[in-house]
Every structure is written in structure tokens, then in C-alpha cells.
Amino acid sequence: MRVLGIDPGSRITGFGVVQVLRNGTLSYVASGCVRIPKDSLAARLKTIYDGVSEIIRTYQPTVLAIEKVFMAVNADSALKLGQARGAAILAGVNHSLPISEYTALQIKRAAVGKGHAAKSQVQHMVKALLGLPASPQADAADALACAICHVHYDTGHARLATRRTRGRGLRRLK
């Protein structure tokens, strides 16, 4: 499985790609940011769409994981973030990728172990989990954390399904 994690933003959209190896360990593939120029909203959304599409063509992920919109104090900011998310999701859908969505709390909990971790903690743990020589840029680290979150949820659900089919899962009470 190769996971493309996206941290959507209307000014900077982070991306991170991780590969799950046969032995179940994570391997870093790539990360970075799509920087969106100050332009009209339509042009900015096209930049996000084109950037994510290019990342998909280059790294050939099998799934796209993206952070869900949180409720912001400023409604206009939340709306712009939602539109940026939509552009990234559309790029994934147009490349026939399954889309998984996670909250910021789920992502931080999967990467750091607590849902209210600081950005520096996310950067540090992503560096440690992927064996990187340096901490990635904050938006790229958030995107890598999103990809790591998907791997944890996916493998957890796979283990649970395997346990149930082997008869070691939940039992019915009589």
C-alpha cells in the first residue's frame, strides 16, 4: 500500500507519501508542499488540483488520506479550507483513488500518541517514525502524519477483521 497524505490549505497544501513494506514497516517516499500564489479563488483551487494531480501521477499512491475540516473561528477561513480540501479530493477521485478522511485529533493521536500535540511534536515524531535525517516542514509533516494515521487505521481494521474470521473476535452472548 502506498498512501498519499494531504494537509489541505488555501495558501500551502502539504503532501506526504509513505509506503507500507511487506514486513509491515513504513517507508518514506516523498513529501513537500504545493504553494498557492495569491490569485483569484478559482486559480488557487486549480493550482491545488493540478499540484495534487501531478503528485499522484509521479508517486502512484493506492489511496489518498486527507485531513477533515475543523470548525474555525473565522467562517470565511473554514470555507476556503473546505474548498481547498475539495480540490485535493477531486484530484484523487479523478485518478480513481479511494479517499479516507481523518480529523486532526485522529491524525495527531496516531502519529504522536495524543490528540492535542503541537506542530513541533508532530514534526519530531514523523521524523522518528520514518527515520528521516531532519524534521520535515510543518505542512509536509502534517501530511505525512495523515498518511501514517491511515496506515494505522487500515492495519488495525485488517487485524480486527482477521481476528473475527478466525473466531477470536467478539463472541455473541446467549
Side-chain angles (χ1 to χ4, degrees):
M1 174 173 48
R2 183 172 279 197
V3 183
L4 169 58
I6 298 288
D7 177 39
S10 60
R11 287 178 276 161
I12 299 174
T13 291
F15 75 90
V17 183
V18 298
Q19 177 86 32
V20 181
L21 303 177
R22 290 193 188 272
N23 64 3
T25 59
L26 284 175
S27 175
Y28 172 85
V29 176
S31 64
C33 297
V34 176
R35 300 199 183 274
I36 296 97
K38 291 187 178 183
D39 212 339
S40 70
L41 177 61
R44 294 170 89 173
L45 296 175
K46 183 178 183 335
T47 299
I48 294 168
Y49 176 85
D50 290 345
V52 173
S53 292
E54 181 60 31
I55 292 161
I56 292 168
R57 283 191 294 275
T58 302
Y59 298 106
Q60 299 293 305
T62 56
V63 64
L64 186 146
I66 191 164
E67 186 175 328
K68 287 183 181 179
V69 174
F70 60 92
M71 289 306 293
V73 174
N74 182 338
D76 188 53
S77 296
L79 185 59
K80 286 178 184 170
L81 179 59
Q83 291 168 328
R85 259 182 101 253
I89 289 171
L90 184 59
V93 169
N94 280 345
H95 285 87
S96 302
L97 292 178
I99 310 295
S100 293
E101 301 174 76
Y102 301 98
T103 66
L105 288 174
Q106 288 174 306
I107 293 167
K108 289 176 180 181
R109 192 174 296 129
V112 179
K114 63 179 188 174
H116 295 285
K119 282 201 175 277
S120 61
Q121 291 173 304
V122 173
Q123 287 175 287
H124 175 76
M125 285 306 297
V126 164
K127 175 187 171 198
L129 288 169
L130 297 175
L132 301 176
S135 293
Q137 190 271 346
D139 296 295
D142 288 347
L144 286 165
C146 187
I148 291 167
C149 176
H150 177 76
V151 171
H152 287 203
Y153 273 84
D154 187 68
T155 56
H157 288 152
R159 268 192 227 118
L160 184 59
T162 301
R163 292 179 82 198
R164 285 188 177 148
T165 59
R166 289 185 186 160
R168 286 187 261 152
L170 299 174
R171 304 225 188 256
R172 287 188 200 196
L173 298 175
K174 293 185 181 184

